[in-house]
Amino acid sequence: MATIFSRIAAGEIPSHKVAEDEEFYAFLDINPVAVGHTLVIPKAEVDYIFDIDDAKLGRMMAFAKRVARAQEAAIPCKRVGLAVMGLEVPHAHIHLIPITKESDMYFGGAKLSLTQDELAEIAARIRKEYK
Ligand code: 5GP
């Protein structure tokens, strides 16, 4: 059965898309720890990120870098932090999080509660900066 993230990349489940190419898809996390919290996934299903072959992992990181540049331009922050856990969804994903302080990347606390309209506006801002 397809993972929830495969269904998102295929457009079967709605998401706030940030960027896309042939191999990868970036969209806002539904429970963001910070404004602009984005997930980068490969369109082809793989659970564990370190099972991705070296060349593709390099392309995934290059894609994530372009997304991070767009986040830096769109969201006030000091830099974009990167995390990989994958304990909840068995489809490899990189968390890209605009941060100004270490605690902005704390996953164990309360998440931001943003409306669908707010998420759509944030995604549009990042999309506009994606090159
Ligand atoms: P992890 O697997 O890295 O521990 O966390 C999975 C992340 O995916 C969480 O931050 C969670 O909020 C996010 N997530 C889970 N289901 C969905 C979904 O259906 N849509 C979106 N946009 N994000 C999701």
Side-chain angles (χ1 to χ4, degrees):
M1 208 180 74
T3 67
I4 190 155
F5 285 174
S6 286
R7 299 185 65 205
I8 284 174
E12 294 167 19
I13 292 176
S15 68
H16 294 284
K17 178 174 133 178
V18 163
E20 175 177 27
D21 71 8
E22 312 75 47
E23 286 186 297
F24 307 108
Y25 188 85
F27 58 106
L28 292 185
D29 194 295
I30 203 168
N31 283 129
V33 300
V35 171
H37 180 174
T38 295
L39 302 175
V40 168
I41 62 167
K43 289 181 177 177
E45 265 178 36
V46 56
D47 177 355
Y48 186 37
I49 194 161
F50 294 129
D51 285 332
I52 297 173
D53 71 67
D54 291 1
K56 184 167 183 177
L57 193 55
R59 293 193 298 278
M60 186 170 174
M61 199 53 79
F63 176 82
K65 177 177 169 179
R66 288 198 297 280
V67 174
R69 291 295 187 220
Q71 290 171 294
E72 289 163 9
I75 311 287
C77 64
K78 266 195 180 158
R79 56 178 57 206
V80 171
L82 182 156
V84 175
M85 293 174 291
L87 295 172
E88 184 188 325
V89 179
H91 185 136
H93 50 282
I94 296 173
H95 296 257
L96 294 176
I97 305 173
I99 53 173
T100 52
K101 55 189 187 308
E102 196 178 301
S103 58
D104 290 338
M105 274 189 75
Y106 180 55
F107 286 84
K111 304 295 176 353
L112 300 185
S113 63
L114 299 173
T115 65
Q116 288 299 316
D117 284 353
E118 287 169 327
L119 290 168
E121 187 271 325
I122 292 162
R125 257 196 282 158
I126 300 172
R127 247 188 344 260
K128 198 159 153 254
E129 299 292 343
Y130 179 75
K131 295 175 178 68

